[in-house]
Amino acid sequence: MKDPSERGLRESATFDRASIAAIQHAARTGVYDIRGWGAKRAVPHFDDLLFLGASMSRYPLEGYRERCDTDVVLGDRHATRPLHLDIPVTIAGMSFGALSAQAKEALGRGASEVGTSTTTGDGGMTDEERGESKTLVYQLLPSRYGMNPAHLRAADAIEVVLGQGAKPGGGGMLLGQKISDRVAEMRTLPPGIDQRSACRHPDWTGPDDLAIKIGELREITDWEKPVYVKVGATRTYYDVKLAVAAGADVVVVDGMQGGTAATQEVFIEHVGIPTLAAIPQAVQALQELGLHRKVQLIVSGGIRTGADVAKAMALGADAVAIGTAALVALGDNDPQYAAEYEAIGSAAGYYDDFQDGRDPAGITTQDPELAARLDPVEGGRRVANYLRVLTMEAQTLARACGKAHVLHLEPEDLVALTIEAAAMARVPLAGTSWIPGQGF
């Protein structure tokens, strides 16, 4: 068939092919689309920033002879046992249920090998995950599925989840095909029935109540464990201030590019703000409270490379968390399963139906045969390799800016390529001293 453009036909910018397909799908089925993989629209991101490496006015560090440290302490505001991590890259919360037991074990193995933490996600703690995770953060979500005070005490930190970047203001879901007998037992649910989680916690209605809940968590854990508060990036400035006022040791801000939470596409593409825009707001809130670097800031949502890690830290983050990238490192969307991705209506590199439980790579599934394809030992090795590369890349950039620790990176080391990125990140437009909104 002749290409439509060769016949003088033009595609509509408003009703492009993706929009037409979505309308046709809605008309045909009467249901909205659910998927993972995060926002697919182009939004300002870390690629729109550049580092100003040292030449004459700054002095770089020699990579083979001069150290650039990467360790970070999380949660030393109130907790008597804060986390001491070797690298500033952590594994974000992804539940057993959403992921296979093999995947959770592999993430724990990989994180432990390089001296960082992993996080449970909804639905409780598995023996495999606790056994292979040297440092494990236990998430407390609105659903309370799998909630166990013994697991709170067995964890190394607690993360109170108020929102996720892919769906701030929305509840979670785990479709029935992923509610296996084991998942059902852990969550006290019937097997094979869709699990839907509330969009807010059942035992508080505001920040004053959150302070009471954090106090309860400290009592349960003898004031040993750091308490994180995680928010989806929306009204970030105010949310961070309220989280700190409620007693958080660490604040986690998840930008709209966060992709492991399968949810309605209308949420993924139209709710929240980009990670790049959220970090300066969070940092401003902490600085105004006099607590920047004292209450630690973890940033997640679209972290892919060591450059992303370094840029997030230059903007003021203490650490980052990865989710989708960790799944790709495990083998998600691997070309070796290209034929099987095609068979389920997708393609390697495009697979985003994490909720369906048919993942050929054995990662986002509860099918025993598919899950058995993932070797936790080999998967852990791949994740560890990836984390090492992220860290080395961030070190390389920090040295180029003359920094002896990645935490010494600062906004002064960055410029922006676009006016939008300059305004969001609050750094100058490249080649100028102009920060949009701050005058000339």
Side-chain angles (χ1 to χ4, degrees):
M1 181 182 295
K2 191 175 182 181
D3 189 302
S5 63
E6 296 178 6
R7 293 185 284 145
L9 300 178
R10 292 178 58 196
E11 184 174 348
S12 168
T14 303
F15 291 92
D16 60 10
R17 277 170 284 182
S19 299
I20 292 171
I23 293 170
Q24 291 170 338
H25 177 269
R28 184 172 61 253
T29 65
V31 299
Y32 50 67
D33 192 25
I34 297 173
R35 63 168 178 83
W37 208 244
K40 294 186 178 181
R41 65 161 66 195
V43 297
H45 196 40
F46 295 114
D47 288 343
D48 296 315
L49 302 181
L50 296 175
F51 278 104
L52 297 174
S55 340
M56 178 71 79
S57 58
R58 296 291 186 275
Y59 199 68
L61 299 186
E62 174 55 64
Y64 294 98
R65 293 182 295 171
E66 296 177 291
R67 290 177 57 181
C68 179
D69 294 327
T70 61
D71 60 302
V72 61
V73 177
L74 300 176
D76 56 351
R77 182 190 184 196
H78 296 299
T80 59
R81 291 175 55 189
L83 306 189
H84 294 259
L85 305 183
D86 293 336
I87 66 172
V89 187
T90 69
I91 304 296
M94 295 173 281
S95 73
F96 167 63
L99 304 189
S100 65
Q102 289 89 334
K104 292 297 287 179
E105 179 182 343
L107 292 172
R109 286 177 178 272
S112 297
E113 188 172 327
V114 297
T116 192
S117 65
T118 189
T119 312
T120 59
D122 203 356
M125 179 190 295
T126 66
D127 291 340
E128 298 97 324
E129 185 174 27
R130 177 66 277 188
E132 299 300 338
S133 300
K134 179 181 178 182
T135 306
L136 182 62
V137 181
Y138 185 90
Q139 280 195 332
L140 181 71
L141 290 102
S143 73
R144 298 296 194 270
Y145 290 132
M147 168 61 183
N148 186 330
H151 290 166
L152 287 174
R153 290 188 285 268
D156 300 291
I158 301 165
E159 182 172 296
V160 182
V161 180
L162 304 185
Q164 299 176 52
K167 52 182 177 183
M173 60 183 70
L174 190 66
L175 299 185
Q177 56 264 41
K178 297 181 80 170
I179 308 292
S180 66
D181 289 342
R182 183 182 179 190
V183 172
E185 182 179 3
M186 287 181 62
R187 302 188 184 213
T188 318
L189 290 167
I193 302 298
D194 292 354
Q195 172 229 294
R196 295 189 176 270
S197 303
C199 62
R200 62 177 187 263
H201 286 259
D203 46 358
W204 74 75
T205 57
D208 292 338
D209 295 338
L210 174 58
I212 296 171
K213 176 56 64 175
I214 288 177
E216 292 176 356
L217 295 173
R218 296 198 190 282
E219 291 296 326
I220 291 171
T221 58
D222 298 323
W223 287 75
E224 292 181 343
K225 314 298 171 67
V227 177
Y228 300 10
V229 172
K230 178 178 181 179
V231 296
T234 52
R235 296 173 174 86
T236 308
Y237 171 82
Y238 299 104
D239 289 344
V240 169
K241 282 203 166 184
L242 290 171
V244 172
D249 297 300
V250 177
V251 178
V252 183
V253 175
D254 193 22
M256 69 175 287
Q257 295 98 316
T260 61
T263 189
Q264 300 99 315
E265 186 170 36
V266 70
F267 252 112
I268 293 172
E269 299 288 2
H270 300 284
V271 181
I273 64 175
T275 306
L276 185 66
I279 302 174
Q281 293 185 27
V283 171
Q284 179 186 350
L286 293 171
Q287 288 173 336
E288 290 179 1
L289 294 169
L291 292 172
H292 186 224
R293 303 298 189 198
K294 297 177 183 178
V295 171
Q296 287 78 39
L297 173 64
I298 299 176
V299 170
S300 56
I303 304 293
R304 310 151 301 174
T305 66
D308 293 345
V309 175
K311 291 171 185 177
M313 298 186 75
L315 291 175
D318 295 274
V320 303
I322 59 171
T324 304
L327 301 188
V328 174
L330 276 179
D332 183 61
N333 273 284
D334 195 300
Q336 69 172 306
Y337 299 115
E340 294 185 60
Y341 284 121
E342 292 284 349
I344 58 175
S346 188
Y350 295 83
Y351 179 67
D352 58 17
D353 289 324
F354 300 157
Q355 74 284 352
D356 282 353
R358 299 187 292 168
D359 182 5
I363 298 169
T364 58
T365 183
Q366 296 303 314
D367 183 307
E369 292 185 10
L370 294 176
R373 295 179 176 182
L374 180 63
D375 178 356
V377 176
E378 172 61 17
R381 184 191 67 81
R382 290 170 59 97
V383 170
N385 282 344
Y386 174 57
L387 291 169
R388 288 190 186 98
V389 170
L390 291 181
T391 304
M392 289 189 290
E393 288 177 339
Q395 283 177 298
T396 297
L397 293 168
R399 283 194 182 97
C401 294
K403 311 296 185 180
H405 198 295
V406 292
L407 280 170
H408 296 166
L409 288 164
E410 56 191 326
E412 189 268 346
D413 296 314
L414 294 170
V415 293
L417 289 173
T418 67
I419 293 175
E420 290 84 357
M424 290 182 184
R426 304 180 189 177
V427 300
L429 187 66
T432 78
S433 59
W434 177 47
I435 301 175
Q438 298 187 20
F440 288 90

